[in-house]
Amino acid sequence: MQLMSEKGAAGGGLRERKKRATRAALAEAAVRLAAEHGAEKVTVEAISAAAGVSVRTFFNYFDSRDDAFVVIDADAGARMRRAVLEAPAELSPLAALREAMSAELAEAEQQHELWRLQAEVLHASPHLLARGVGAHMAAEADLADAIALRLRGDGAAGGAGPGLYPRLLAAVASAAIRTSMDHWSAHQEEAAFLDVFHEVFTLLAAGLPAPSA
C-alpha cells in the first residue's frame, strides 16, 4: 500500500496542489485501467487520456508507465520525513511518527477502494510487485533515517546508518499501518479507520500489553 493523501501535503500553494491533483489523477487512472484490463495491456496513452492530460504531461510526473502503478505519491515520504523532524520536541519518536503517518492517512477511508485495486494489480504482476516491495523498503529506510536524525537532534547525517532502534521503529510503524487497514477493512461498520490506527499506536506505546480476558 502506497500512501496517497492530498491533506498530508496541504499548504503547498495552488501550483503544488494542482501538481498533486494531476499526479493523483494519473495514478488512479493507471490503477483502474490495470485492474480492468491487466497492467501489461495498459499504455501511457490510455492512462493519459483517462486522466485528461497529454502523454508529455504524464512523463512530467512518472519516469515510466510502471511507476504510475507503483509510485502513487512520490512526495509522501518527504512529507513524513519533514513532519517527523519538525514535530514538537516533547513528542516521543513513536508519537512523532504516529502524527506524521496520521496526516498522510487522513483520507484513507475514501481511498480504500483504490488501495485495494492497487494491491490486486501489483500481486497480479511479479515485476510490479517486486517494484512495490522495493518502494516500500525505500520509504521505510527514509523514515528510519528521519527518526535517527530526530534522536540525534543535530540535523547531521550519521555515517553508520540509522541504527537498530530507528530501523525497528520504522518497520513497526509500517506494520501498524498494514494491521490497521486489514482490521478496519473487516470491521468498517464498527469504527473509523483513523480510530483503529490510533488504537494500534496506543497499544504500541503501552508496550503491547496482553488484552484482558
Side-chain angles (χ1 to χ4, degrees), residues 23-38:
R23 173 184 280 276
L26 284 164
E28 180 170 355
V31 168
R32 291 191 181 281
L33 287 170
E36 182 177 358
H37 303 291

Side-chain angles (χ1 to χ4, degrees), residues 42-68:
V42 177
T43 64
V44 170
E45 289 77 9
I47 296 170
S48 302
V53 301
S54 67
V55 170
R56 179 178 179 180
T57 296
F58 176 93
F59 286 110
N60 286 338
Y61 293 91
F62 300 99
D63 292 333
S64 71
R65 183 202 62 166
D66 288 354
D67 284 344

Side-chain angles (χ1 to χ4, degrees), residues 119-144:
E120 292 178 1
V121 169
L122 297 186
H123 282 86
S125 175
H127 85 278
L128 290 180
L129 181 59
R131 289 181 65 128
V133 170
H136 173 79
M137 292 178 64
E140 195 172 287
D142 283 344
L143 278 180

Side-chain angles (χ1 to χ4, degrees), residues 39-167:
E40 70 283 353
K41 296 181 180 179
V42 177
T43 64
V44 170
E45 289 77 9
I47 296 170
S48 302
V53 301
S54 67
V55 170
R56 179 178 179 180
T57 296
F58 176 93
F59 286 110
N60 286 338
Y61 293 91
F62 300 99
D63 292 333
S64 71
R65 183 202 62 166
D66 288 354
D67 284 344
F69 304 131
V70 176
V71 186
I72 288 180
D73 188 346
D75 298 324
R79 290 195 301 269
M80 283 195 294
R81 179 186 178 91
R82 184 167 59 250
V84 167
L85 292 174
E86 295 178 354
E90 62 270 19
L91 291 184
S92 68
L94 178 63
L97 197 51
R98 178 198 64 209
E99 294 305 304
M101 289 181 161
S102 179
E104 290 298 323
L105 292 164
E107 297 177 353
E109 292 184 39
Q110 295 93 321
Q111 295 168 347
H112 176 242
E113 181 207 5
L114 188 59
W115 283 349
R116 178 183 59 79
L117 290 177
Q118 187 202 32
E120 292 178 1
V121 169
L122 297 186
H123 282 86
S125 175
H127 85 278
L128 290 180
L129 181 59
R131 289 181 65 128
V133 170
H136 173 79
M137 292 178 64
E140 195 172 287
D142 283 344
L143 278 180
D145 285 340
I147 295 165
L149 286 173
R150 180 179 176 85
L151 288 170
R152 283 195 290 270
D154 56 8
L164 180 60
Y165 176 84
R167 291 176 60 189

